[in-house]
Amino acid sequence: MLRQTYLDAATADMAGGAKATGVRWWLKFCLLGRNTSPVTDLHAGSPWAEVLEAEQLLVDFVLWLALCRPSGRPVSAKSIAKYVGQVRVWHLRTQRRPLTGELGNEAIRDVLRGVERLVPQPAKLQRFGVRTQDLAKALLFLDTETCEGSMWAAALATGFCGLMRGCELGVQDGEAFDPTRNLTRADVRFRRADDGTLYMILMMRPAKKGPAQRKDVPLLIAEGGSLLDPVRLMQQMIERDPVAEEELASTPLFARRGRAVAVREVRAMVQLLMGKLGLESARFGAHSLRIGGATAALAAGMSAAAIRAAGRWSSDVYQIYCRVSRQSAAGVATVIGSTPFDDLERGVRFADEELMLTIGEMPVASTDDFAERDLIEDAWGEDEA
């Protein structure tokens, strides 16, 4: 059991890949649709008929996704290919044997080409970023006199100005709240700098860094955004819904009815609020907060280096300068919260992979950098910062 726990932890879902979308559909297809086992025991010496039968089952799975649309929505050939890959990897990891024995992927590739030609492919839905001015208006729809309303206002503003991913704000479907990985009330503190500026410091574990990472990255957000001020909204949330000192470390930072908010709830709230503004809600999601916040920073003239540091994008270059630039990027959140932008009728969007860095963009440490580093150490202690 202990060995399996650590093997499962190698995957993002902490379950050996069993929670991957493709695997979940595969299990439903095999167990409920075909009444057959989702695993095989094929090897190099297996009868050819059994190998072909396993391949045919996988081909039928592809056609089932493409033609029957089990989710109620069309599935592209590209998505189906990804799901088949998830199934193959899951099977090899759990059974220590390939799903179709020594047989290659040629038949699956061919049937996917056939699906592309014969089945109308869904148009790729371009994800829009939330605009600063739109989010500021949308928050007016929330009743911030209530605990839930103030929670949503703080979560959305923090996610936007802090360039946070949806899975950094809430928990994924099928994932239990884990105080060692997810944000808690104990992970937020407020400190006032020598110049009088109030900072909110979130001690977080960024997504996409590996399951073993600790909460060792401080996200600094300064007060004073003219359109969005997550520091003020976070203080308001804590005042509306106080938590006992001994429960801070076990209480989700953003919670509804006593449980951590889910990423799908963040997505639904963003879509609801954008819909209230008359915008096409289907074009928005939880990641729209991060996209919009980064776009606002670019519109304000912030350097790509500062944005990448503030948003915790990964690269070898980032690892070199993150210690000095992370602190200097604390004011990025205030700039984001103060900058409306027009994204050319939604014809231009910000994409993570487009934010590239050059050596020339690397910032140089200043006295302000070290002053803000001292602010973190004062809040959390040198070891934690």
mmCIF file of all heavy atoms in Angstrom, residues 20 53 62 103 114 129 134 143 172 174 180 182 191 216 221 226 233 290 303 314 327 344 377 381:
data_model
loop_
_atom_site.group_PDB
_atom_site.id
_atom_site.type_symbol
_atom_site.label_atom_id
_atom_site.label_comp_id
_atom_site.label_asym_id
_atom_site.label_seq_id
_atom_site.Cartn_x
_atom_site.Cartn_y
_atom_site.Cartn_z
ATOM 1 N N ALA A 20 -7.785 10.768 -14.787
ATOM 2 C CA ALA A 20 -7.691 11.461 -16.071
ATOM 3 C C ALA A 20 -8.995 11.281 -16.837
ATOM 4 O O ALA A 20 -9.648 10.230 -16.752
ATOM 5 C CB ALA A 20 -6.518 10.930 -16.880
ATOM 6 N N GLU A 53 -8.371 -8.359 -30.720
ATOM 7 C CA GLU A 53 -9.591 -8.047 -29.974
ATOM 8 C C GLU A 53 -9.379 -6.823 -29.080
ATOM 9 O O GLU A 53 -10.258 -5.954 -28.976
ATOM 10 C CB GLU A 53 -10.001 -9.251 -29.118
ATOM 11 C CG GLU A 53 -11.311 -9.047 -28.365
ATOM 12 C CD GLU A 53 -11.688 -10.258 -27.526
ATOM 13 O OE1 GLU A 53 -10.924 -11.243 -27.507
ATOM 14 O OE2 GLU A 53 -12.769 -10.210 -26.885
ATOM 15 N N VAL A 62 -12.706 4.819 -29.521
ATOM 16 C CA VAL A 62 -12.516 6.049 -30.292
ATOM 17 C C VAL A 62 -13.807 6.435 -31.001
ATOM 18 O O VAL A 62 -14.238 7.600 -30.960
ATOM 19 C CB VAL A 62 -11.365 5.863 -31.305
ATOM 20 C CG1 VAL A 62 -11.323 7.037 -32.291
ATOM 21 C CG2 VAL A 62 -10.029 5.724 -30.593
ATOM 22 N N LEU A 103 1.421 -4.690 -30.187
ATOM 23 C CA LEU A 103 0.864 -4.058 -31.382
ATOM 24 C C LEU A 103 1.087 -2.549 -31.338
ATOM 25 O O LEU A 103 1.007 -1.929 -30.284
ATOM 26 C CB LEU A 103 -0.641 -4.349 -31.458
ATOM 27 C CG LEU A 103 -1.288 -4.358 -32.849
ATOM 28 C CD1 LEU A 103 -0.623 -5.394 -33.730
ATOM 29 C CD2 LEU A 103 -2.775 -4.659 -32.710
ATOM 30 N N GLY A 114 -9.680 9.125 -40.027
ATOM 31 C CA GLY A 114 -11.019 8.948 -40.576
ATOM 32 C C GLY A 114 -12.055 9.783 -39.844
ATOM 33 O O GLY A 114 -12.959 10.365 -40.457
ATOM 34 N N GLY A 129 -9.860 36.388 -22.027
ATOM 35 C CA GLY A 129 -9.419 36.845 -20.727
ATOM 36 C C GLY A 129 -10.424 37.831 -20.157
ATOM 37 O O GLY A 129 -11.045 38.604 -20.888
ATOM 38 N N ASP A 134 -14.255 44.993 -16.661
ATOM 39 C CA ASP A 134 -15.411 44.102 -16.619
ATOM 40 C C ASP A 134 -15.530 43.411 -15.270
ATOM 41 O O ASP A 134 -16.626 43.277 -14.708
ATOM 42 C CB ASP A 134 -15.317 43.055 -17.729
ATOM 43 C CG ASP A 134 -15.504 43.650 -19.119
ATOM 44 O OD1 ASP A 134 -16.062 44.772 -19.208
ATOM 45 O OD2 ASP A 134 -15.098 43.018 -20.103
ATOM 46 N N ASP A 143 -23.190 40.248 -3.407
ATOM 47 C CA ASP A 143 -23.585 40.842 -2.125
ATOM 48 C C ASP A 143 -22.433 40.640 -1.146
ATOM 49 O O ASP A 143 -22.344 39.623 -0.458
ATOM 50 C CB ASP A 143 -24.863 40.181 -1.604
ATOM 51 C CG ASP A 143 -25.341 40.808 -0.291
ATOM 52 O OD1 ASP A 143 -24.711 41.788 0.164
ATOM 53 O OD2 ASP A 143 -26.334 40.317 0.260
ATOM 54 N N GLN A 172 -9.481 20.658 -7.685
ATOM 55 C CA GLN A 172 -9.982 20.019 -8.889
ATOM 56 C C GLN A 172 -11.052 18.991 -8.532
ATOM 57 O O GLN A 172 -11.122 18.507 -7.404
ATOM 58 C CB GLN A 172 -8.833 19.312 -9.622
ATOM 59 C CG GLN A 172 -7.708 20.228 -10.058
ATOM 60 C CD GLN A 172 -7.981 20.888 -11.394
ATOM 61 O OE1 GLN A 172 -9.129 21.062 -11.789
ATOM 62 N NE2 GLN A 172 -6.929 21.265 -12.089
ATOM 63 N N GLY A 174 -12.711 15.610 -7.969
ATOM 64 C CA GLY A 174 -12.121 14.357 -7.514
ATOM 65 C C GLY A 174 -10.938 14.536 -6.585
ATOM 66 O O GLY A 174 -10.352 13.551 -6.139
ATOM 67 N N THR A 180 -1.760 20.969 3.076
ATOM 68 C CA THR A 180 -0.333 21.059 2.761
ATOM 69 C C THR A 180 -0.105 21.511 1.326
ATOM 70 O O THR A 180 1.011 21.916 0.966
ATOM 71 C CB THR A 180 0.370 19.701 2.968
ATOM 72 O OG1 THR A 180 -0.117 18.750 2.016
ATOM 73 C CG2 THR A 180 0.132 19.191 4.377
ATOM 74 N N ASN A 182 -3.107 23.048 -0.732
ATOM 75 C CA ASN A 182 -4.063 24.106 -1.074
ATOM 76 C C ASN A 182 -3.984 25.258 -0.080
ATOM 77 O O ASN A 182 -3.572 25.075 1.071
ATOM 78 C CB ASN A 182 -5.488 23.528 -1.097
ATOM 79 C CG ASN A 182 -5.624 22.335 -2.027
ATOM 80 O OD1 ASN A 182 -5.911 21.234 -1.594
ATOM 81 N ND2 ASN A 182 -5.403 22.547 -3.313
ATOM 82 N N ARG A 191 1.104 42.837 5.985
ATOM 83 C CA ARG A 191 2.197 43.592 6.566
ATOM 84 C C ARG A 191 2.258 44.967 5.912
ATOM 85 O O ARG A 191 2.045 45.098 4.707
ATOM 86 C CB ARG A 191 3.538 42.865 6.367
ATOM 87 C CG ARG A 191 3.724 41.641 7.246
ATOM 88 C CD ARG A 191 3.810 42.007 8.717
ATOM 89 N NE ARG A 191 4.041 40.849 9.572
ATOM 90 C CZ ARG A 191 3.090 40.094 10.076
ATOM 91 N NH1 ARG A 191 1.816 40.338 9.790
ATOM 92 N NH2 ARG A 191 3.404 39.076 10.866
ATOM 93 N N ASP A 216 6.245 27.318 -0.509
ATOM 94 C CA ASP A 216 7.434 28.119 -0.228
ATOM 95 C C ASP A 216 7.573 29.314 -1.177
ATOM 96 O O ASP A 216 8.641 29.911 -1.269
ATOM 97 C CB ASP A 216 8.695 27.254 -0.292
ATOM 98 C CG ASP A 216 8.832 26.520 -1.619
ATOM 99 O OD1 ASP A 216 7.997 26.743 -2.518
ATOM 100 O OD2 ASP A 216 9.773 25.719 -1.763
ATOM 101 N N ILE A 221 0.948 40.999 -2.937
ATOM 102 C CA ILE A 221 -0.018 41.862 -3.604
ATOM 103 C C ILE A 221 -0.148 43.141 -2.773
ATOM 104 O O ILE A 221 -0.457 43.090 -1.580
ATOM 105 C CB ILE A 221 -1.388 41.175 -3.745
ATOM 106 C CG1 ILE A 221 -1.252 39.924 -4.622
ATOM 107 C CG2 ILE A 221 -2.416 42.125 -4.334
ATOM 108 C CD1 ILE A 221 -2.552 39.175 -4.827
ATOM 109 N N SER A 226 -6.945 50.882 -8.388
ATOM 110 C CA SER A 226 -8.059 51.828 -8.535
ATOM 111 C C SER A 226 -9.346 51.153 -8.992
ATOM 112 O O SER A 226 -10.450 51.641 -8.692
ATOM 113 C CB SER A 226 -7.673 52.932 -9.527
ATOM 114 O OG SER A 226 -7.368 52.390 -10.803
ATOM 115 N N LEU A 233 -10.375 43.621 -0.335
ATOM 116 C CA LEU A 233 -11.431 42.606 -0.419
ATOM 117 C C LEU A 233 -11.095 41.393 0.445
ATOM 118 O O LEU A 233 -11.989 40.778 1.035
ATOM 119 C CB LEU A 233 -11.635 42.193 -1.876
ATOM 120 C CG LEU A 233 -12.232 43.280 -2.776
ATOM 121 C CD1 LEU A 233 -12.223 42.839 -4.235
ATOM 122 C CD2 LEU A 233 -13.663 43.625 -2.335
ATOM 123 N N ARG A 290 -6.352 34.586 -15.059
ATOM 124 C CA ARG A 290 -4.910 34.663 -15.283
ATOM 125 C C ARG A 290 -4.596 35.321 -16.633
ATOM 126 O O ARG A 290 -3.700 36.162 -16.736
ATOM 127 C CB ARG A 290 -4.320 33.252 -15.212
ATOM 128 C CG ARG A 290 -2.805 33.162 -15.355
ATOM 129 C CD ARG A 290 -2.400 31.734 -15.013
ATOM 130 N NE ARG A 290 -1.037 31.386 -15.389
ATOM 131 C CZ ARG A 290 0.038 31.577 -14.640
ATOM 132 N NH1 ARG A 290 -0.077 32.172 -13.475
ATOM 133 N NH2 ARG A 290 1.222 31.187 -15.048
ATOM 134 N N SER A 303 7.178 44.801 -18.066
ATOM 135 C CA SER A 303 8.074 43.946 -18.845
ATOM 136 C C SER A 303 7.622 42.492 -18.748
ATOM 137 O O SER A 303 7.000 42.073 -17.769
ATOM 138 C CB SER A 303 9.503 44.064 -18.334
ATOM 139 O OG SER A 303 9.641 43.425 -17.075
ATOM 140 N N SER A 314 7.239 29.065 -15.512
ATOM 141 C CA SER A 314 8.483 28.324 -15.344
ATOM 142 C C SER A 314 9.385 28.463 -16.567
ATOM 143 O O SER A 314 8.937 28.486 -17.697
ATOM 144 C CB SER A 314 8.195 26.835 -15.141
ATOM 145 O OG SER A 314 7.689 26.602 -13.857
ATOM 146 N N GLN A 327 10.115 39.754 -5.654
ATOM 147 C CA GLN A 327 9.781 40.845 -4.750
ATOM 148 C C GLN A 327 9.499 42.141 -5.521
ATOM 149 O O GLN A 327 8.574 42.877 -5.203
ATOM 150 C CB GLN A 327 10.928 41.074 -3.747
ATOM 151 C CG GLN A 327 10.969 40.035 -2.640
ATOM 152 C CD GLN A 327 11.565 38.732 -3.112
ATOM 153 O OE1 GLN A 327 12.527 38.724 -3.866
ATOM 154 N NE2 GLN A 327 11.004 37.621 -2.685
ATOM 155 N N LEU A 344 -9.055 44.607 -28.646
ATOM 156 C CA LEU A 344 -9.353 44.636 -30.076
ATOM 157 C C LEU A 344 -10.493 43.696 -30.446
ATOM 158 O O LEU A 344 -10.356 42.802 -31.276
ATOM 159 C CB LEU A 344 -8.098 44.293 -30.881
ATOM 160 C CG LEU A 344 -6.873 45.186 -30.632
ATOM 161 C CD1 LEU A 344 -5.716 44.731 -31.484
ATOM 162 C CD2 LEU A 344 -7.207 46.644 -30.911
ATOM 163 N N GLU A 377 10.178 38.202 5.145
ATOM 164 C CA GLU A 377 10.812 37.504 6.272
ATOM 165 C C GLU A 377 10.219 37.948 7.600
ATOM 166 O O GLU A 377 10.133 37.188 8.546
ATOM 167 C CB GLU A 377 12.315 37.751 6.221
ATOM 168 C CG GLU A 377 12.979 37.088 5.011
ATOM 169 C CD GLU A 377 14.461 37.403 4.925
ATOM 170 O OE1 GLU A 377 14.935 38.181 5.757
ATOM 171 O OE2 GLU A 377 15.123 36.839 4.029
ATOM 172 N N GLY A 381 9.138 34.673 8.670
ATOM 173 C CA GLY A 381 10.383 34.114 9.183
ATOM 174 C C GLY A 381 11.296 33.745 8.042
ATOM 175 O O GLY A 381 10.840 33.373 6.963
#
